[in-house]
Amino acid sequence: MFWRILKKDLKRKKTINIILLLFVILCSMFAAAAVNNIIAVTGGIEHYFDAADVPDVTVQMLNIRENDLEERLGELAGVKEIRTEHWLCVVSSKYFRHNGKKLDNFTNPAYLLSDREMAVNYFDESNNIIESVDKGCFYATAPFLQGIDIKEGDEVELTVGNSHLTLKFMGRFKGALFNSGNSYSPYLILNSADYDDLDKDEDIMNCRQLYVSTSEVEEIRELAKNYSGVYVNTREDSKDIYLYDMFSAYILMIITIVLMFTAFVVLRFTIGFTVSEEFREIGVMKAVGIDNGSIRSLYIVKYLAIAVVGTLIGYFCSVPLGDRMMKTVSENMVLGSESGTPMGLLCSVAVVIIILLFCYGCTRRVKKLSPIDAVRNGQTGERFRRKTLLHLGRSKLPSTAFLSVNDVLGSPKQFSIMIVVFTLCMLLMTLMSNFALTLKSEKLLRFFDVPVSEAHILDTEIVGKVIVDQSTYKTIIADTEKLLADNGMPGKCTMTIGAQLEISHEDKTAKVNFRIMKGETNDTLSVDKGSAPQKTDEIAVTAGTLDNLGAEIGDRVTAVINEKEYEFIITGTFSTFVNADSAVFLYKDFDLGHLAANSVMGVQIHFDGSPDREQINRNIEKLKYLFDTDKVYSTSDFINNFTGMSDTLNAIKQMMMVLTVIVTALIVILMERSFIAKEKSEIALMKAVGVGNGSIILQHSLRFVIVSFIACIVSSAVLMPISNVMMNWVGNMVGDISGLKCDFDPLEIFVICPAILIGVTVIGSFLTALYTKTIKASDTASIE
């Protein structure tokens, strides 16, 4: 009997059941894809490090030809093995030529490695380990390839000092410890003979990286403190390279949670509606002796069938979706897929179980219905309160509009559910829009430790000169300001330079990135607490640095700079995206001497006279010509170049817009069909007293327009607080950030996104409401 009832129900409510099935498919698809992707990235990093044979500690020695650190490390009792790589440092991309043109596509120095000294495993694009490189050939990481049309087999010329090589490009390679972002250094693997030819040239810096297997990490840190230009990273520290790769996976998980919440709200509405509508069937079943548990099991079997079919389809659909979402990550990593299938199936099973538990809870209303409800048609015939505050006689609204508003106010629970769902749909679009815009917004400039400026020069020759000797900033700033004045665009130039040095407070010592802003500017460092440095013996630090040193604002710390010990007072804390857990900012007048820099933010230009956007763009184009480089950016492009997430979030935003249209259309169709079924007698009565089909269709459509309009207002009101909270949370994932305010596009937030939502509800509700034409005046007594 139950199976006959189930079969009849599935046929009778095909539209509602199909829409529920689609929601289950969406939930299962996104849940499986999101969880699988997060596991693939988080667990995949460990898998990648194991495949690459990454050791416990890496010790990087920049611009160091000879020292005894490696020998002293080998003497430590906890050190089991040391593997060494020697790198050649090419400080400018302009030493490379492709198709006869100097390269200008990467900013930071390029590092060259011999295939004879590959101390860890490196992988080609097919994830095969690179064993050797043919003479006259090379592999390169992603930063080397950005902005140029280079294909496998193309030739690249490298000229440094008296050395000249013509090398054939063999493809991109992946290194577990190499960052693939556009703003990072490229790495190249050469044949050992080609490497040896370059190594003879005195114009090329020689660097080393040691891969140390050890159980005593702190001993290595203590020993490395005695050497300048030495950086120590544990295996766990190195995983921070992939924080941005994880970001997309977590965004997908947030989308999944919102979708599942939406699906459960819709499911709750549908079950409640079904139980209310089937009062007679339930009453009859109770009258013939069927208990509550058996009746509830009937509904659970129905939703079990929908859940099982939906999750199976959703699981298979999650495979291409997951691959699409993981495309960028898989280009940078060697991911293992051992747990992909089991975890995807586990997520699908979890969706089924959650749906069944939710359905069981939602069918509690069955207990309240009795056989007498079947006799009374589910009504008591009594109502002791007004339905709404509106009164037809005193209302100035047209009758159709009055009925629509009265329906919304008279059923607050039903329409509140719709408002919540539509608000979530709006937030899915607008949050992604805010995030994408913020990650290239000029508001972020202060988090990159540079002053207010309109143009940014990241020419590789300039950066290379300062990395070798930071004191060259004086000449660079003076020459740039003179060039600006001579070409009719006067302005002031600054440079933010960083060098990693040791700092101590009481018994704690740490290596931190000392940063200083050089040049003329009225802009001061933005601090979160305390005040910016105003004297040469004052510094500001990040909150992470305070924690590492166990210090507070007002404490004194010491640092050795150019073999001289200095004492500084901590005056405040600041937020930054650059070396967030170990950053210190010096007063601009402090003299670093000829200390080598490890980071340079390029040249920042603040034009005189407050030029408008068009003039700034013209100045930038002129600077590109004068410096013979494309690496001159507006502030927005400068920030986007460093974060690298704006384009990714824009792609997710576009997906959200499509998804919002689909979800909103499904919800509108489902609820309108439910309303039509529930109000069949009322619609028939309206037709019996002469109300036309057009008025009824308009009434039903207006209800959804009102709900979607309210949802747009609610989402606009909560958007910025939610955006700021989530953006600061993301900022803390990738840096030591607080006080971040999101940017937004008023046209997109207040016009385009609401228009999409309202447009879909209008079209969906109108087309679905056309079904009311099938109801006749004779259906007033119908209880089908």
Side-chain angles (χ1 to χ4, degrees), residues 88-151:
L88 299 179
C89 178
V90 178
V91 296
S92 173
S93 64
K94 294 183 179 179
Y95 291 126
F96 295 89
R97 283 180 176 270
H98 177 240
N99 293 333
K101 184 180 179 181
K102 288 182 180 179
L103 294 190
D104 187 30
N105 59 325
F106 57 88
T107 304
N108 288 299
Y111 293 95
L112 281 58
L113 173 67
S114 167
D115 64 348
R116 180 182 57 226
E117 286 195 331
M118 294 186 293
V120 295
N121 293 328
Y122 298 109
F123 302 86
D124 62 19
E125 291 183 275
S126 300
N127 294 337
N128 299 313
I129 296 176
I130 298 173
E131 302 289 351
S132 62
V133 180
D134 294 337
K135 184 172 172 54
C137 300
F138 77 102
Y139 288 90
T141 56
F144 185 85
L145 312 179
Q146 60 173 313
I148 61 172
D149 183 20
I150 186 170
K151 301 179 290 295

Side-chain angles (χ1 to χ4, degrees), residues 15-80:
T15 302
I16 293 176
N17 291 329
I18 288 172
I19 292 174
L20 281 177
L21 177 65
L22 291 174
F23 268 106
V24 174
I25 291 172
L26 284 173
C27 285
S28 178
M29 181 172 67
F30 276 87
V35 173
N36 187 38
N37 288 2
I38 289 174
I39 291 172
V41 175
T42 53
I45 295 172
E46 192 66 33
H47 173 274
Y48 186 18
F49 279 24
D50 288 339
D53 197 18
V54 173
D56 304 304
V57 175
T58 57
V59 181
Q60 194 175 35
M61 297 186 289
L62 301 180
N63 200 23
I64 303 291
R65 285 193 177 273
E66 295 295 337
N67 64 36
D68 62 347
L69 177 58
E70 185 171 354
E71 289 74 16
R72 294 186 63 184
L73 286 173
E75 295 170 358
L76 296 176
V79 172
K80 303 170 187 175

Side-chain angles (χ1 to χ4, degrees), residues 393-436:
R394 292 194 293 267
S395 175
K396 296 181 180 180
L397 293 172
S399 59
T400 302
F402 173 85
L403 289 173
S404 301
V405 175
N406 194 59
D407 287 344
V408 173
L409 295 178
S411 304
K413 183 181 290 186
Q414 287 182 348
F415 287 98
S416 294
I417 291 173
M418 294 170 61
I419 290 171
V420 170
V421 172
F422 288 161
T423 300
L424 290 173
C425 291
M426 270 286 292
L427 287 174
L428 283 175
M429 291 189 292
T430 52
L431 282 173
M432 291 303 104
S433 173
N434 281 8
F435 291 165

